[in-house]
Amino acid sequence: MAETAAASTFVERAHKVLGNTKLRGNFRRAMDGLMAKRAAQFADIAAWKSLRARGAAAKRRVLARLPELLEQLEANCTANGIKVHWAETTHEANSIVLKILQDHDARTIVKGKSMVSEEMHLNAFLQKHGIEAIESDLGEYIIQLAGEAPSHIVMPCIHKDKGEIAELFTRHIDGQPYTEDVAELTDAARRVLRSRFAAADAGLSGVNFAVAETGTLVLIENEGNGRLSTTLPPLHIAVMGIEKLVETLDDIPPLLSLLPRSATGQSITTYVNMITSPRKPGEKDGPQEVHLVLLDNGRSRVYADNQLRDTLRCIRCGACMNHCPVYARVGGHTYNAVYPGPIGKILTPQLDGIAVAGDLPHACTLCNACVEICPVNIPIADIMVRLRREAVHPSDSPAVMGAGCKHTATEAAVWAGWKKMYASPALYRMGAKMMQRFGNMMPGGMPLLKEWTSVRTRPVFAKKTLHELAKEQGYSDV
């Protein structure tokens, strides 16, 4: 996978992965299973549409008042005893986390699953400053042993089969014999991680939803590692993107029903943690301090654009990846981004800029499968098309960094010619005649055809145009 990530473009990385039949098989089996489980959960289509409308409405309401509700969240968290920090960039967020840990002389932290911490590249940052971060989610623990990035936002090691995991455990866990028995592998990870929970100086988690009305942080998970990370160590740090907000507690039930059913086909996750304050006098467990780090990292810029802000509705269920025909064939590492799949194809170029991730919106067939199953009804395909357009013809909106950087004079001239020809019947007929006579003589390797014919058969122009055939059949060409 490291070789895949080292390739410079999505197309180059995809070519490498498409030759890996084992990896493709792992993804295909996993995606088929996840799609079947989700379909079983939402068998009642009318109920699904109603629930989806409630979830989408809750997120729309938040985005309509995001600045005001973020201030409300801060006020209520502070009143509850949670210390709130604001970070404009990932560097600021990392520095805030480091300062908190250094103030408490913390040398080890145990982490629950957090995609925002992946966005911050927090583990590597802390390691440079002498602080060890241990991933406690089983999937994250496995890829940490492998030295890899997550390939899926919900199931980070979905690209690995049990044989590969067994080899990793044998190599990295003292005394662990090779076994492909899933229960034994899980027990081995549990033995290692339990001791780390007990010894950690601090715990760090993500946040699925933060409730502005009450200052409550909601965290869902299946393994209990989230609860242990947020209650056993004396210090808990939660990190979240500013869009992970809901207005009231009443918004939580529909979203809790949508998220796990869309993600893994479960009716509800095993654990639902609602954190509203540090340990209070007389309570027997919980951290003595809770900190919340709110990360912007370009989200305010996205929020300022009326169309692109719909991206911020995402609840990170990963259903769009599970149903994407491109993701299912090339896997998550091919995107070379923290957020892969359809949501990553629209989110990453907006956060990192078109110059960095401008090829991702093109890694899409526009089949609309992601839009049909999105639990909060994000118009992913429309945003994908908008970003493709921004790459070559920037709009007046400053929301997309690097807009226009993919513009070329040749492509612009071709499209201008195409537009002029299709706007004039006379020019269209002339162009069709030219293609009819000389089109088949064009070599497939010529500049404008080379990339197209590298993966497709060169089209053969018919000897007669449709107009000529119609005329021969006696139809009027008026």
Side-chain angles (χ1 to χ4, degrees):
M1 297 309 290
E3 184 184 11
T4 301
S8 59
T9 69
F10 180 90
V11 171
E12 291 168 345
R13 294 188 294 270
H15 275 297
K16 289 179 181 292
V17 169
L18 289 172
N20 187 335
T21 54
K22 182 178 181 182
L23 186 69
R24 291 184 62 186
N26 290 348
F27 271 103
R28 185 70 274 166
R29 281 190 295 278
M31 298 301 108
D32 287 347
L34 289 167
M35 286 193 292
K37 288 179 181 176
R38 178 200 168 275
Q41 285 289 337
F42 294 119
D44 185 335
I45 301 301
W48 142 247
K49 288 183 177 178
S50 173
L51 185 61
R52 179 196 214 195
R54 291 178 63 195
K59 294 302 290 184
R60 279 198 199 97
R61 278 203 314 279
V62 165
L63 292 178
R65 302 172 53 214
L66 186 62
E68 173 190 342
L69 291 176
L70 281 169
E71 289 180 2
Q72 185 182 359
L73 174 72
E74 180 184 27
N76 285 326
C77 282
T78 303
N80 295 337
I82 297 174
K83 297 179 181 178
V84 179
H85 310 262
W86 298 83
E88 186 173 351
T89 65
T90 56
H91 176 72
E92 284 186 14
N94 282 330
S95 299
I96 290 168
V97 172
L98 178 64
K99 176 78 166 47
I100 296 169
L101 294 173
Q102 288 176 335
D103 286 348
H104 291 78
D105 199 24
R107 310 308 301 170
T108 60
I109 67 167
V110 63
K111 289 178 63 193
K113 192 169 177 302
S114 163
M115 290 308 297
V116 167
S117 74
E118 295 286 346
E119 188 179 325
M120 294 158 59
H121 302 290
L122 179 64
N123 290 7
F125 177 83
L126 293 180
Q127 188 178 16
K128 286 180 185 174
H129 292 82
I131 296 175
E132 184 186 22
I134 306 295
E135 297 286 352
S136 65
D137 173 88
L138 181 56
E140 291 279 354
Y141 174 67
I142 290 167
I143 61 168
Q144 187 177 34
L145 291 181
E148 297 176 358
S151 60
H152 190 287
I153 63 172
V154 177
M155 291 146 286
C157 72
I158 201 168
H159 57 288
K160 290 194 177 299
D161 59 30
K162 55 187 178 184
E164 293 172 296
I165 295 168
E167 288 177 7
L168 267 177
F169 279 23
T170 303
R171 195 160 64 245
H172 291 281
I173 299 177
D174 290 341
Q176 174 62 29
Y178 182 92
T179 175
E180 294 186 7
D181 186 284
V182 175
E184 290 185 27
L185 290 170
T186 306
D187 282 344
R190 185 178 292 121
R191 282 197 307 276
V192 173
L193 291 173
R194 282 296 165 97
S195 62
R196 306 309 295 261
F197 284 121
D201 298 317
L204 187 139
S205 74
V207 177
N208 291 104
F209 307 105
V211 185
E213 175 189 45
T214 59
T216 302
L217 311 179
V218 181
L219 177 63
I220 63 173
E221 37 118 4
N222 283 315
E223 301 170 15
N225 65 302
R227 185 160 297 179
L228 289 170
S229 300
T230 56
T231 55
L232 267 186
L235 171 66
H236 171 213
I237 303 172
V239 293
M240 63 172 267
I242 57 173
E243 79 280 22
K244 291 292 194 72
L245 197 62
V246 295
E247 185 177 3
T248 69
L249 274 176
D250 288 341
D251 294 324
I252 292 294
L255 292 170
L256 281 187
S257 181
L258 283 166
L259 202 163
R261 294 164 80 187
S262 300
T264 55
Q266 297 171 268
S267 298
I268 192 168
T269 52
T270 308
Y271 297 89
V272 177
N273 305 286
M274 304 186 85
I275 302 163
T276 306
S277 72
R279 184 191 304 190
K280 294 177 181 174
E283 292 182 341
K284 294 184 177 179
D285 60 12
Q288 292 157 5
E289 276 190 30
V290 178
H291 294 254
L292 173 64
V293 180
L294 294 163
L295 175 65
D296 187 316
N297 195 31
R299 289 164 172 82
S300 292
R301 184 167 28 79
V302 176
Y303 175 75
D305 186 285
N306 285 336
Q307 181 184 21
L308 299 180
R309 75 166 53 168
D310 285 341
T311 309
L312 302 179
R313 276 191 236 157
C314 179
I315 58 174
R316 304 288 191 270
C317 68
C320 59
M321 298 168 203
N322 304 343
H323 291 73
C324 175
V326 177
Y327 178 90
R329 283 160 180 78
V330 302
H333 288 165
T334 306
Y335 297 82
N336 200 24
V338 172
Y339 303 101
I343 191 63
K345 283 183 271 193
I346 61 171
L347 181 60
T348 306
Q350 294 183 64
L351 296 185
D352 296 345
I354 294 289
V356 174
D359 56 345
L360 293 185
H362 295 273
C364 173
T365 63
L366 297 179
C367 69
N368 229 37
C370 54
V371 178
E372 291 180 2
I373 53 81
C374 176
V376 287
N377 204 16
I378 299 173
I380 296 174
D382 290 343
I383 295 174
M384 201 95 67
V385 172
R386 162 77 184 278
L387 292 173
R388 290 181 182 184
R389 192 165 56 244
E390 290 278 356
V392 291
H393 291 295
S395 66
D396 293 334
S397 169
V400 183
M401 281 195 307
C405 69
K406 302 291 184 183
H407 174 87
T408 66
T410 303
E411 185 174 337
V414 168
W415 283 112
W418 182 90
K419 181 180 177 182
K420 194 160 189 175
M421 190 176 83
Y422 274 74
S424 165
L427 284 178
Y428 177 83
R429 287 195 175 90
M430 186 185 302
K433 277 286 183 188
M434 295 288 286
M435 289 295 108
Q436 183 186 355
R437 287 195 176 187
F438 305 112
N440 292 330
M441 298 179 190
M442 291 190 295
M446 67 182 291
L448 292 176
L449 280 179
K450 186 177 180 181
E451 190 169 351
W452 176 270
T453 55
S454 67
V455 290
R456 302 174 182 87
T457 303
R458 186 162 65 92
V460 177
F461 291 93
K463 292 180 180 177
K464 294 181 180 179
T465 67
L466 180 62
H467 286 269
E468 290 170 339
L469 291 171
K471 201 170 183 179
E472 286 178 3
Q473 295 294 321
Y475 294 101
S476 171
D477 192 21
V478 177

